[in-house]
């Protein structure tokens, strides 16, 4: 692919900021290994500029009626529906996601905005049935003010849509800090949002490192809430800074999601669900089904099929529609995945497919790793416990249902789980006892505006999406109105 060179500055107050006095961070195209763009390296001063801008914009945006904000967000949704293709190549350059997957995500971006705009448009006061006949009371819902949204590199725009749509319809203004590895699509999105009519300062985007500008945004005295998606390491730091600033945080963190396959499962569906769980987006998805727990009677049959599919997947240029495995998103991720593969080999897991970096003919310097399957994995191994965020499947087997459940519930994470069986009573029973925020039965990977997502244990707290998504961006206020004369609190007291 020809190298492009774009220099991106922050997007504040409806435009890209001046490049003067900016330091820049190189963004490497993972398909070529070459610099394709640079992002401004923001600091506390830039954080202040962006937050002040969003704080100024807050009064006007919050004062609009829900219907007026709904209408502005629908304009944005229309612009996305008409122009999403403009963003596709930018995202692929930034994180190497395959064109088929980017197209699928981007062609549906508008629908998240429509759904939450609709959900939040009529939120108004609710009467309380209090016990005092002398007063009426109501619950009012008010926006927080400036919300900081911090996003990772794997699906920057979809994850942003989940935060932005409910936050904006609720009347908040938002400062976004995308990943330093993949900020371009978020910046281009902000430009598109302004062109669609979102007012100045209602959405600002600042770029740079998490520990620099990210932390400064969370600690800013005018920031009222933070919504974070990323690693548990990043989440812990963000939650600590948010606690010190006494602001609420929502954390969507990592996972090490189990897929349990019983011997009565429809094996074709299970194989397809397992492949999509671990190899789509190269395993760089929070819900990657990276731990396979399979009944001993069907283990060999199932693994043989998975290995045969893994070995036949075509790696190559993610811009090409026939490519089945693209590059990993950045060099740090490449190193992390290769290190985990080496560790798994040293710890005694048996590598049954893949296990190596590869150099496809059309992009020999890209960050490619073969789809990899490890068998005979023990729960004590790091490959079983740690999130790799790559195309690496760890397999173990079980005899009894209880053993499958305790293997699935092992470890610090609790994001998602898959259960494959034709016995729906059994599946329901396990779904009740599995400690994850999402459970898929004979299915894997769906997301929908109506279904809340989020984690248990170290996978985070709070939920995104679902029927309460907008309320998560609203503060609750009780308003009391006296309807009878007030008796003296000191009977007999003379005026
Ligand atoms: P990361 O934690 O390294 O970075 C995420 C974002 O946080 C980046 O924008 C980064 O700059 C910022 N950041 C890091 N430290 C910060 C700090 N101290 N203060 C403020 N901001 C800070 O994560 P990543 O490598 O970009 O993304 C991969 C991780 O994201 C994986 O663990 C994955 O499971 C998780 N993820 C979770 C979900 C979910 O919905 N649960 C979805 C996608 C990705």
């Amino acid at each position: 692919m020809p190298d492009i060179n774009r220099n991106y500055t922050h997007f504040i107050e409806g435009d890209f900021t001046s490049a003067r006095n900016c330091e820049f961070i190189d963004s490497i195209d993972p398909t070529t290994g070459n610099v394709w763009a640079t992002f401004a390296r923001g600091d506390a001063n830039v954080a202040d500029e962006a937050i002040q801008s969003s704080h100024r914009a807050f009064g006007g945006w919050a004062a609009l009626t829900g219907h007026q904000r709904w209408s502005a967000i629908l304009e944005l949704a229309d612009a996305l529906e008409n122009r999403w293709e403009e963003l596709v190549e930018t995202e692929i350059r930034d994180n190497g996601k395959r064109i088929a997957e980017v197209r699928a995500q981007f062609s549906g971006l508008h629908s998240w905005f429509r759904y939450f705009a609709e959900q939040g448009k009529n939120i108004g006061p609710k009467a309380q049935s209090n016990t005092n006949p002398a007063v009426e009371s109501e619950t009012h819902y008010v926006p927080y003010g400036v919300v900081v949204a911090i996003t990772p590199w794997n699906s920057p725009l979809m994850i942003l849509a989940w935060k932005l749509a409910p936050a904006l319809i609720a009347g908040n203004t938002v400062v976004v800090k995308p990943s330093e590895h993949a900020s371009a699509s978020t910046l281009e999105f902000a430009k598109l949002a302004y062109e669609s009519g979102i007012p100045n300062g209602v959405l600002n985007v600042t770029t740079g490192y998490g520990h620099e500008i990210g932390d400064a945004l969370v600690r800013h005295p005018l920031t009222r809430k933070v919504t974070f998606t990323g690693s548990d390491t990043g989440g812990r730091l963000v939650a600590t800074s948010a606690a010190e600033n006494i602001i609420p945080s929502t954390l969507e963190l990592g996972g090490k999601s189990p897929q349990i396959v019983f011997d009565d499962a429809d094996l074709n569906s299970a194989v397809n669900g397992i492949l999509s769980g671990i190899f789509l987006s190269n395993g760089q998805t929070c819900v990657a089904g990276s731990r396979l727990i399979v009944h001993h009677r069907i283990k060999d049959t199932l693994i043989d099929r998975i290995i045969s599919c893994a070995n036949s997947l075509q790696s190559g240029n993610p811009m090409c529609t026939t490519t089945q495995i693209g590059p990993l998103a950045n060099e740090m991720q490449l190193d992390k995945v290769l290190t985990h593969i080496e560790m798994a080999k040293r710890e005694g897991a048996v590598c049954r497919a893949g296990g190596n970096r590869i150099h496809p003919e059309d992009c020999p310097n890209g960050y490619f790793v073969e789809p990899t399957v490890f068998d005979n994995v023990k729960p004590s191994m790091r490959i079983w416990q740690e999130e790799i965020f790559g195309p690496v499947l760890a397999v173990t087997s079980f005899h009894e249902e209880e053993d499958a459940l305790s293997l699935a519930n092992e470890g610090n994470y609790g994001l998602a789980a898959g259960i494959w069986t034709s016995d729906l009573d059994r599946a329901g029973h396990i779904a009740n006892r599995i400690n994850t925020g999402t459970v898929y039965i004979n299915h894997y990977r769906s997301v929908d505006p109506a279904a809340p997502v989020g984690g248990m244990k170290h996978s985070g707290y709070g939920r995104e999406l679902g029927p309460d998504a907008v309320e998560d961006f609203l503060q609750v206020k009780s308003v009391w109105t006296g309807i009878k004369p007030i008796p003296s609190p000191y009977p007999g007291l003379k005026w």
Side-chain angles (χ1 to χ4, degrees), residues 226-425:
V226 57
T227 165
F228 173 89
T229 299
S231 62
D232 46 327
T233 309
R236 194 173 275 116
L237 293 168
V238 166
T240 303
S241 297
E244 283 175 5
N245 200 11
I246 316 194
I247 56 170
S249 53
T250 301
L251 303 181
E252 298 288 348
L253 309 179
K256 189 76 194 177
S257 300
Q259 297 241 42
I260 304 175
V261 188
F262 287 94
D263 56 356
D264 60 352
D266 168 351
L267 279 200
N268 289 339
S269 288
V271 168
N272 288 333
I274 291 159
L275 291 173
S276 79
I278 189 63
F279 296 136
L280 282 187
S281 285
N282 244 330
Q284 301 171 126
T285 60
C286 52
V287 295
S290 51
R291 295 187 296 147
L292 175 58
I293 300 166
V294 51
H295 193 273
H296 70 101
R297 263 201 295 272
I298 54 163
K299 183 181 161 204
D300 288 341
T301 318
L302 186 75
I303 297 205
D304 285 349
R305 288 211 215 164
I306 291 169
I307 289 171
S308 141
C309 294
N311 286 337
S312 64
L313 292 174
Q314 291 302 308
S315 296
N317 190 332
M319 288 293 288
C320 176
T321 51
T322 54
T323 292
Q324 291 165 320
I325 296 277
L328 292 169
N330 52 62
E331 196 171 10
M332 182 193 72
Q333 200 52 30
L334 174 73
D335 290 344
K336 183 177 174 194
V337 171
L338 292 174
T339 303
H340 271 282
I341 288 174
E342 286 317 308
M343 263 183 328
K345 288 176 182 167
R346 276 204 306 276
E347 285 186 310
V350 179
C351 187
R352 299 276 309 275
N356 298 297
R357 180 175 181 179
I358 45 169
H359 302 275
E361 238 171 62
D362 54 351
C363 20
N365 299 321
Y367 304 147
F368 291 83
V369 170
E370 293 171 311
T372 298
V373 179
F374 276 101
D375 194 2
N376 289 354
V377 175
K378 304 274 178 293
S380 58
M381 294 179 182
R382 289 178 66 179
I383 190 185
W384 189 255
Q385 294 165 1
E386 295 177 18
E387 182 183 50
I388 299 177
F389 221 52
V392 182
L393 181 67
V395 185
T396 195
S397 61
F398 71 92
H399 283 67
E400 304 298 331
E401 186 177 312
E402 281 304 310
D403 298 334
L405 183 66
S406 70
L407 280 165
N409 275 338
E410 241 163 35
N412 285 333
Y413 292 110
L415 197 60
I419 303 168
W420 301 89
T421 174
S422 49
D423 180 345
L424 290 184
D425 284 343

Side-chain angles (χ1 to χ4, degrees), residues 150-154 159 162 177-181 208-211 214-215 218 228-235 237-238 252-255 285-286 332-333 387 389 415 453 459 464:
I150 300 178
T151 54
W153 43 258
N154 61 330
I159 288 169
W162 295 4
K177 211 300 280 170
S179 166
E180 56 274 28
H181 296 290
Y209 294 114
H211 64 283
D215 193 52
V218 178
F228 173 89
T229 299
S231 62
D232 46 327
T233 309
L237 293 168
V238 166
E252 298 288 348
L253 309 179
T285 60
C286 52
M332 182 193 72
Q333 200 52 30
E387 182 183 50
F389 221 52
L415 197 60
V453 297
S459 292
E464 290 187 318

Side-chain angles (χ1 to χ4, degrees), residues 392-475:
V392 182
L393 181 67
V395 185
T396 195
S397 61
F398 71 92
H399 283 67
E400 304 298 331
E401 186 177 312
E402 281 304 310
D403 298 334
L405 183 66
S406 70
L407 280 165
N409 275 338
E410 241 163 35
N412 285 333
Y413 292 110
L415 197 60
I419 303 168
W420 301 89
T421 174
S422 49
D423 180 345
L424 290 184
D425 284 343
R426 166 158 70 187
H429 185 58
I430 293 188
N432 279 340
R433 294 200 296 150
I434 215 156
N435 300 325
T436 58
T438 297
V439 181
Y440 297 108
I441 298 171
N442 295 329
H443 182 74
Y444 206 74
R445 237 183 212 300
S446 278
V447 281
D448 188 90
V453 297
M456 294 184 181
K457 303 195 280 183
H458 287 193
S459 292
Y461 51 74
R463 292 289 177 270
E464 290 187 318
L465 311 183
D468 305 321
V470 176
E471 283 181 23
D472 198 42
F473 287 95
L474 289 163
Q475 305 185 83

